[in-house]
Each structure stands twice: as structure tokens, then as C-alpha cells.
Amino acid sequence: MTTGASMPPTIDDRFENLVVSPERVLEMLGRRRVGQVTYEQSEQGDARRRLLHVEKVAIENKRLQEKSEASYIETVNHQLHEILLGEITEYLGQTAELCQSTLSMPENIGELLDALSVRACTVSKLEPIAATMPWLYEDLIAVVNTPRFRRKDSRGRIIVVETLRTALSFIGIDNLRLLIPYFIFKRALPQVTDPYPQIKQKYLSYATGVALTAKHLAAESGLNTNEAYTLGMLSNLGRCAVTRLYFRLFDKIQMHLLQECQKDKEQKRYGALLKIAPSANHLIALQQEFADAVTADVLSHIALKRLRIADTMRLCADNAPTKLNTLAKSLHQARTYTQIRMLHQLKLIDIKEVRPLLIEQQYPVGSLEKLKSVDVFTLPLVKNEENQ
């Protein structure tokens, strides 16, 4: 009896694994990494074929021993993650503490985003709010003194910007509407994610891609482009929170369990705990379970009055049906498009797999063709020529 070929991993599964480690997707697709050889091609394979019977028996005994040891390690790993799940669930329920301590968001972040969202936004209205956030001052000063925004005085000397008001003025409101949500998200990114160091970069690329794609799609659908962009960027705050907590709690719980083992002289369990590393599978499962709901909680907590994105994020978190030409639909479309584009960059997706997804999302007519020529992973900042 012939069994059918196994189904290829879904686009969603590929993307979630890409974020953690691209090598995982290659393994999922059955591809060899560069420089990797098959077992049959290796010296080990050649040697194995020449082994004497006695050696084969010894290897089998070792294999069974390793299998038993692996089973024990997996049991300890499961116990560690059971504790972690309980703690992370408790932390995620404390939204105020989560915003302040985990995501490093000041209490008046909603006021800043609201001020940016109104059509009549001015530097004089932004400055007193931004002045309460030293980290934002540092980010803006770094940007305004780059060659892109650098200005010269009447003698041709470069003007070094040192004040917040000048930085805001030189950068300009349109650029600030792109930069400030970007800086808020960047500040929330997890910093230590060993053994998966690429997570931070992938999150930033994904958030930027979703935000800029949503902005373009909103323009095609007659929606508020600033709302679409800001929602797209901040819709990934939940990912940051879950990831930061996962790695922080993993280290804390592992250390606590190791100390218990030392105290109780449990050498076998102690050795197993030392071999346990943060798990990509557990992290992905936690993201899928909690990330969007956490984002919705965060956007509700910061009490936005003018920027109408919190209710939309809640709809997405609840997997509620979405109608065409709505902010929620634009977010879904932007996420799908960005995931496909990130996978396509590394040749981890085939065009035949893409078409059904694009058709299902019902993009505005002509929008996909326009997006082909857009760099959705780089902020389209334009030099502000006012007050030259």
C-alpha cells in the first residue's frame, strides 16, 4: 500500500518558524543547508557500513541509552514549561505593568499618538509631550543629524541639532507620523533571545512591512492611512511582550529549578535541566495563543481618544469576520502580504502556493501590482524643506 505525500507546511507555520530561525523552515521543507551533506555522503556513513557486528551492538545499546535519556530530558522540559505557562499567563494579565516594565511604554504614550493623529498636528503641540520621554529625544536627535536631514547655515557649515524643538521641526510632521510609532515598537523589541538571535531583526522587518503595506492598502480603500500605518506597526507589540517574558521567565525558572536540585542533591535532574534550552516550538505556540490579545489589551490600556485602532485590534484578536474596505481587513491583508514577501525573499514559498492566499484576501484592484514596486521594509522618509 502506497502512502500519499505529506502535506507541505502552511504559510503561517513557515512564517512563524522563519521569525525564530530560517534554518527551521529549510528543515520543514526538507532542504539541506549550505555545506550540509547527506548521511550516505558523510565519512560517518562510510565508516558505519564497515562496522563489525560487535560495534553495531555497542552502538545500538548507546542509542537506546540516549533515547531513554532524551525521554527523561523531555519530561523535565515539559515540567519547566508547565511552570512557565502559568507564570506567563499571570504576567500577561497585568496590562499596566506589562506596558510599563515589559514594553517600556510611558503612561502618556496614548496622548502622544493622539496628538500625532490629528490633521492639525504641530510641533508646538508635540514638543511638551515628547519632552517627557528622554529615549524619544535621543532617537529623534540621532535621525535629524543624519545626512538625510542635515542642514547647513549661510556659510555652508553643518548645523548640529541639539534641541528637541529643532529636531521636530527639521524632521517634519509627516515623517514623525512614521518615525514615532516605529520608535515605540523598536523600544519594545526583545533584546536577548539566545539561541535565536535573529528574532529582533525579523520582528522589526515584519512590523515595518505590515505598517507600510497597510498604509498603501488603506489609500487604495479610502481609509485613514495614518490609522492603518500605526495599527500595522503596533499590532506586533504583543509579540514583543510574549517573547520578552518567555526568555526572561525561562532563565528565571531554570535557575530556580537548578538551585532546588542542588539543595535536594538530584544530580540526574540537575544534568537534564542544564541541557534544556529555550524552545522555538513553545515560543511559537505562545505567540499564536496570546500575542494579538495582548496587543488589543495594550491598545485599550493606553486609552487612545482620537486614534481609532484599539477596537479594530480587538476584532483581529477575536478572529472576528472582517468586511472589505475596513481597517481590520487592511491589517489582515497587510499581514498576509508581508509574510509572503518575507518568505519569498529567502525562496521559502512557491508562486503556486501564493495565489490562493492572495485571492482569499480580496485585495483592492491593482493594489498588489503597485506594491511590487514598493520597499515595504524601509520607512519612506522625505527631507522636510520647510524653514530652510
Side-chain angles (χ1 to χ4, degrees), residues 205-218:
S205 293
Y206 181 54
T208 305
V210 171
L212 291 176
T213 301
K215 187 175 189 289
H216 281 275
L217 292 173

Side-chain angles (χ1 to χ4, degrees), residues 146-184:
T146 58
R148 174 177 286 185
F149 291 99
R150 191 176 292 158
R151 298 189 186 186
K152 297 180 180 180
D153 61 17
S154 58
R155 296 183 181 182
R157 294 176 301 192
I158 292 172
I159 301 172
V160 178
V161 178
E162 296 179 340
T163 68
L164 178 61
R165 174 174 280 271
T166 305
L168 293 170
S169 178
F170 278 20
I171 291 172
I173 298 300
D174 287 342
N175 288 323
L176 290 170
R177 288 190 173 117
L178 296 174
L179 281 169
I180 288 178
Y182 176 86
F183 287 146
I184 291 170

Side-chain angles (χ1 to χ4, degrees), residues 13-154:
D13 283 340
R14 277 181 239 188
F15 174 74
E16 293 296 343
N17 281 275
L18 168 68
V19 168
V20 176
S21 171
E23 288 74 18
R24 288 176 59 87
V25 190
L26 291 172
E27 292 171 8
M28 291 169 73
L29 295 173
R31 300 182 193 173
R32 286 182 286 155
R33 295 189 293 275
V34 176
Q36 184 181 7
V37 296
T38 63
Y39 180 78
E40 288 74 22
Q41 294 170 320
S42 69
E43 292 181 5
Q44 181 185 357
D46 186 53
R48 177 70 178 269
R49 285 190 292 271
R50 298 196 301 269
L51 283 178
L52 299 175
H53 175 70
V54 175
E55 292 172 308
K56 288 183 179 180
V57 171
I59 284 178
E60 176 62 12
N61 288 339
K62 183 178 179 182
R63 186 188 69 80
L64 292 173
Q65 181 180 346
E66 288 174 347
K67 183 177 179 181
S68 175
E69 182 183 357
S71 176
Y72 179 73
I73 292 172
E74 185 56 38
T75 299
V76 176
N77 187 21
H78 177 74
Q79 292 168 350
L80 185 154
H81 278 91
E82 280 288 302
I83 299 170
L84 192 152
L85 176 61
E87 290 203 20
I88 202 170
T89 303
E90 184 177 343
Y91 273 96
L92 292 176
Q94 301 168 10
T95 308
E97 179 68 16
L98 194 74
C99 288
Q100 183 177 356
S101 300
T102 304
L103 296 175
S104 304
M105 296 173 66
E107 291 183 3
N108 58 342
I109 203 73
E111 185 183 356
L112 178 64
L113 290 169
D114 274 336
L116 267 178
S117 71
V118 297
R119 189 170 297 178
C121 177
T122 62
V123 168
S124 60
K125 291 179 180 177
L126 285 178
E127 184 187 13
I129 310 170
T132 65
M133 306 173 191
W135 57 272
L136 182 57
Y137 164 80
E138 292 174 5
D139 285 339
L140 293 173
I141 289 295
V143 168
V144 79
N145 285 306
T146 58
R148 174 177 286 185
F149 291 99
R150 191 176 292 158
R151 298 189 186 186
K152 297 180 180 180
D153 61 17
S154 58

Side-chain angles (χ1 to χ4, degrees), residues 316-331:
C316 293
D318 293 342
N319 291 315
T322 54
K323 297 180 181 179
L324 288 176
N325 302 320
T326 61
L327 209 56
K329 185 63 177 177
S330 290
L331 178 60

